[in-house]
């Protein structure tokens, strides 16, 4: 039978760089590759078994993953020649069905191959690589552990393509079973895809258990078998034991991937799952982005669960698909950066995920330029609670996009902030996004991820704006001519200062002094909206006793008909005897 193979570019375009290689013919296929991974930078031997291979064959590869693609996996390229099955005159063909190997930084050991060997023994943390080589087999390993320390013991098999449905037991020195694990149920991190409460969990045949070592125990035995008692070709696994380092939060990206327009900007929204009562702020950072990308790092305000950052590309940026290392950082830097992870469900049966993957990092690629590119200030924009603030956004239009009108929107905003609309008018090179700052908006920096939407070349497009920092400040503050006052009994002293108003705040402000020594009094003054300077008259009673005190200068005003809290300013007041 004759077949016609047609190959084209998706947009039917091409150039001198659009090269390809098309191979038609029989390819060797392996049913099992062992081990399933190794330690970063090391050269490991690979055993290929089953499939169309005439005999078990040996290959080797050095685990040097591309940090921009995925630092935790490596896809080896093995050929007929490299595994020694290419005969004279045969072409060098890629061996198919070689899965990506897991790359770790822990010590890696393999199970002994000699029959009757004692269980392999190693100090945790460590990774044991093995396979259930025949039906009814149980593999055992001895881990040297620390009493009282909590460890995570996990099996990686089914999720790496193995046929193993593992059952894991943790045994003490006397053989007593201390813990057992079978199928693992985990919360789905992508709750937007969970239609019911049951759908918010995922099942995996790979067992995992968190185990606290009992007092006085320094060695535990890890026993692994197949649930059905099966074994043979296709039953490899990785068994990892390592101490649990508690993290205060988990970071998940809203999208599975991101396309960054060449010369433009993409916005990345994240959600945080706070653990153990942690409520502090979180910085969002991108570690070692590929050349040609610039990042405006984001943040998640204290107590909040959403945040964003933006990634911009130069017009010349070009790289293969990259796996971006997006992390959340506790400002106290304990225990260190927490990388993003996301559970992607490919298939479900009812509420049970039958095909799913935990994705570490954020896959990214450069996409075609957009007809309009947007820019926003890199310096913070001052804002005050209770009042709107304008964010200027510039629009660089390409031919054909001059008449496009763009309406502003945002990615999820922190509590206390809301988009008030506005847009970039047709032919305009700039527009203002209006953000309403709530009366209870937190004082300090808040990052805003703006988007725009509008028809471009007949199609509705959404474009991202580089991240903008709003520096939320108190509506008013006080500047004092002096912070020390000396007054004689029976005298009057004038105390002067200025009220500094911020942003759109133009309300009256009352200035008063609390906590003066006995025998002194002062009436508060109200500074009208059109004035800034004030004078307070401090009057000392003729019988006022000598004293020293630290009274407080306080401001009083309202935002949205509620008293707004403002820190007080301390004075040093000394009362001395009169003439």
């Amino acid at each position: 039978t004759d077949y016609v193979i047609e190959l084209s570019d998706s947009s039917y375009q091409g150039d001198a760089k659009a090269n390809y290689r098309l191979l038609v013919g029989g390819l060797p296929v392996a049913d099992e590759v062992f081990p399933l991974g190794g330690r970063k930078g090391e050269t490991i031997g690979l055993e290929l078994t089953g499939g169309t291979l005439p005999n078990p064959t040996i290959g080797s590869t050095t685990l040097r993953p591309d940090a921009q693609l995925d630092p935790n996996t490596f896809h080896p390229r093995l050929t007929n020649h490299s595994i020694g099955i290419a005969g004279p005159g045969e072409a060098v063909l890629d061996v198919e069905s070689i899965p990506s190997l897991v790359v770790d930084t822990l010590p890696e050991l393999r199970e002994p191959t000699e029959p009757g060997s004692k269980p392999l023994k190693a100090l945790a943390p460590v990774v044991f690589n093995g396979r259930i080589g025949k039906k009814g087999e149980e593999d055992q390993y001895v881990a040297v552990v620390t009493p009282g320390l909590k460890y995570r013991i996990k099996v990686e098999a089914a999720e790496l393509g193995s046929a193993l449905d593992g059952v894991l037991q943790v045994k003490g020195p006397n053989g007593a079973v201390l813990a057992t694990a079978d199928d693992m149920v985990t919360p789905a991190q992508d709750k937007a895809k969970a239609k019911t409460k049951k759908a918010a969990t995922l099942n995996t045949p790979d067992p995992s258990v968190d185990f606290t070592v009992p007092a006085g125990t320094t060695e535990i035995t890890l026993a692994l078998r197949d649930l059905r008692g099966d074994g043979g070709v296709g039953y490899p696994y990785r068994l990892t034991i390592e101490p649990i380092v508690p993290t205060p939060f988990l970071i998940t990206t809203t999208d599975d991937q991101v396309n960054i327009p060449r010369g433009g900007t993409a916005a990345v929204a994240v959600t945080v799952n706070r653990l153990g009562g942690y409520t502090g702020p979180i910085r969002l950072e991108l570690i070692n982005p590929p050349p040609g990308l610039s990042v405006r790092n984001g943040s998640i305000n204290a107590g909040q669960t959403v945040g964003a950052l933006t990634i911009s590309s130069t017009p010349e940026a070009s790289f293969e698909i990259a796996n971006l290392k997006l992390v959340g950082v506790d400002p106290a830097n304990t225990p260190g950066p927490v990388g993003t992870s996301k559970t992607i469900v490919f298939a479900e049966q009812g509420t049970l995920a039958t095909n799913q993957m935990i994705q570490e990092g954020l896959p990214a690629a450069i996409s075609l330029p957009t007809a309009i590119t947007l820019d926003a200030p890199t310096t913070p924009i001052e804002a005050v609670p209770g009042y709107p603030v304008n964010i200027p956004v510039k629009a660089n239009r390409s031919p054909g996009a001059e008449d496009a009108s763009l309406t502003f929107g945002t990615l999820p905003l922190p509590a206390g902030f809301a988009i008030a609309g506005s847009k970039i008018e047709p032919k305009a090179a700039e527009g203002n996004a209006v953000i309403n700052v709530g009366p209870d908006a937190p004082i300090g920096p808040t990052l805003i991820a703006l988007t725009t939407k509008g028809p471009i070349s007949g199609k509705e497009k959404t474009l991202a704006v580089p991240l903008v920092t709003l520096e939320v400040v108190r509506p008013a503050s006080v500047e004092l001519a002096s912070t020390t006052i000396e007054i004689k009994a029976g005298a009057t002293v004038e105390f002067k200062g200025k009220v500094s108003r911020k942003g759109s705040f133009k309300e009256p402000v009352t200035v008063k002094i609390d906590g003066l020594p006995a025998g002194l009094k002062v009436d508060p003054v109200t500074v009208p909206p059109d004035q800034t300077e004030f004078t307070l008259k401090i009057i000392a009673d003729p019988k006022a006793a000598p004293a020293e005190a630290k009274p407080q200068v306080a401001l009083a005003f309202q935002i949205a008909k509620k008293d707004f809290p403002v820190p007080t300013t301390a004075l040093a007041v000394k009362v001395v005897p009169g003439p």
Side-chain angles (χ1 to χ4, degrees):
T1 302
D2 293 333
Y3 295 90
V4 176
I5 299 174
E6 181 180 291
L7 179 68
S8 67
D9 182 78
S10 60
S11 58
Y12 292 92
Q13 297 182 11
D15 55 36
K17 296 182 180 180
N19 301 314
Y20 64 88
R21 184 169 72 108
L22 176 63
L23 178 65
V24 180
L27 297 178
V29 177
D31 283 342
E32 176 188 284
V33 177
F34 176 79
L36 296 173
R39 196 173 192 178
K40 182 179 180 180
E42 293 185 351
T43 299
I44 63 172
L46 296 175
E47 301 176 32
L48 289 79
T49 309
T52 62
L53 298 177
N55 298 296
T57 56
I58 303 298
S60 66
T61 188
T62 301
L63 298 177
R64 293 182 179 137
D66 183 348
Q68 300 300 342
L69 184 60
D70 188 344
N72 301 314
T73 63
F74 175 70
H75 193 91
R77 182 180 184 272
L78 302 181
T79 67
N80 283 7
H81 284 314
S82 71
I83 62 174
I85 64 172
E90 292 185 17
V92 179
L93 304 178
D94 289 339
V95 178
E96 294 300 297
S97 299
I98 300 293
S100 295
L101 302 177
V102 177
V103 179
D104 210 329
T105 57
L106 298 179
E108 301 259 346
L109 299 175
R110 295 193 194 185
E111 66 172 338
T113 57
E114 298 80 9
S117 298
K118 292 183 179 180
L120 196 61
K121 182 177 178 179
L123 175 67
V126 66
V127 180
F128 297 109
N129 290 277
R131 52 187 164 188
I132 303 298
K134 59 183 179 180
K135 290 188 176 182
E137 184 176 84
E138 180 182 83
D139 288 351
Q140 293 191 359
Y141 304 91
V142 177
V144 180
V145 293
T146 302
L149 196 61
K150 191 172 185 179
Y151 291 84
R152 177 158 296 150
I153 308 167
K154 67 176 182 179
V155 173
E156 295 174 283
E159 292 190 5
L160 300 178
S162 174
L164 178 66
D165 186 352
V167 176
L168 175 67
Q169 287 186 328
V170 181
K171 299 180 180 181
N174 58 358
V177 177
L178 305 178
T180 300
D182 193 353
D183 292 359
M184 184 173 61
V185 179
T186 60
Q189 296 181 30
D190 191 353
K191 295 183 179 180
K193 294 183 180 178
K195 300 175 183 177
T196 67
K197 290 184 178 180
K198 290 184 178 180
T201 61
L202 299 168
N203 282 10
T204 171
D206 294 338
S208 175
V209 62
D210 293 346
F211 176 75
T212 301
V213 180
T217 299
T218 58
E219 293 184 2
I220 56 176
T221 298
L222 310 178
L224 180 66
R225 61 180 174 84
D226 183 74
L227 176 66
R228 301 174 298 274
D230 289 338
V233 175
Y235 285 78
Y237 60 83
R238 289 169 59 80
L239 176 55
T240 303
I241 175 171
E242 57 184 334
I244 295 177
V245 179
T247 59
F249 51 82
L250 300 175
I251 297 289
T252 303
T253 57
T254 301
D255 296 319
D256 299 342
Q257 59 189 29
V258 61
N259 292 316
I260 307 164
R262 186 170 279 113
T265 298
V268 179
V270 303
T271 58
V272 60
N273 180 16
R274 296 178 179 272
L275 306 174
Y278 177 77
T279 60
I282 301 168
R283 293 199 312 270
L284 300 175
E285 301 178 358
L286 201 60
I287 297 177
N288 296 328
L293 297 186
S294 61
V295 182
R296 294 194 185 181
N297 291 326
S299 69
I300 301 175
N301 287 346
Q304 302 296 303
T305 59
V306 296
L309 55 73
T310 56
I311 308 169
S312 298
S313 161
T314 63
E316 301 80 20
S318 179
F319 56 85
E320 300 294 332
I321 295 175
N323 194 55
L324 303 180
K325 190 173 182 181
L326 196 163
V327 300
V329 179
D330 176 359
N333 205 29
T334 303
V338 177
T340 57
S341 63
K342 184 178 181 65
T343 300
I344 302 175
V345 178
F346 298 106
E348 292 178 312
Q349 185 174 354
T351 61
L352 177 65
T354 58
N355 193 334
Q356 54 94 15
M357 177 186 75
I358 297 178
Q359 174 180 283
E360 304 287 345
L362 178 64
I366 293 291
S367 60
L368 293 174
T370 54
I372 301 176
T373 56
L374 304 169
D375 198 11
T378 57
T379 55
I381 298 173
E382 192 174 81
V384 294
Y387 291 87
V389 60
N390 291 334
I391 299 176
V393 177
K394 295 181 180 180
N396 183 16
R397 300 174 182 265
S398 299
E402 295 87 353
D403 294 332
S405 174
L406 302 177
T407 301
F408 285 108
T410 65
L411 293 185
L413 291 172
F417 299 85
I419 183 75
S422 192
K423 61 183 180 179
I424 302 177
E425 300 290 348
K427 295 184 172 59
E430 186 172 322
N432 285 312
V434 182
I435 299 293
N436 283 332
V437 183
D440 299 322
I443 301 300
T446 292
L447 302 177
I448 304 295
L450 292 169
T451 61
T452 63
K453 181 181 290 186
I456 301 176
S457 301
K459 294 183 179 180
E460 191 79 3
K461 299 286 186 179
T462 298
L463 307 175
V465 180
L467 208 66
V468 178
T469 300
L470 293 185
E471 186 67 40
V472 181
V473 298
R474 293 180 177 84
S477 60
V478 64
E479 301 174 17
L480 304 179
S482 175
T483 57
T484 60
I485 299 173
E486 183 176 300
I487 187 171
K488 294 180 179 181
T492 298
V493 171
E494 289 189 346
F495 180 70
K496 297 185 177 182
K498 293 182 179 180
V499 170
S500 176
R501 295 178 175 86
K502 304 292 184 179
S504 301
F505 177 72
K506 304 297 180 187
E507 301 298 324
V509 176
T510 297
V511 185
K512 58 182 180 178
I513 300 179
D514 297 324
L516 285 171
L520 273 62
K521 68 176 183 178
V522 60
D523 293 328
V525 298
T526 298
V527 183
D530 59 346
Q531 296 180 22
T532 59
E533 296 183 353
F534 65 86
T535 299
L536 293 170
K537 292 185 177 182
I538 303 175
I539 302 173
D541 189 274
K543 297 182 180 180
E548 293 186 10
K550 293 184 178 180
Q552 303 290 317
V553 178
L555 300 185
F557 55 88
Q558 290 193 328
I559 298 293
K561 298 182 179 180
K562 292 174 58 177
D563 292 338
F564 190 88
V566 180
T568 57
T569 303
L571 297 176
V573 175
K574 183 177 182 180
V575 181
V576 297

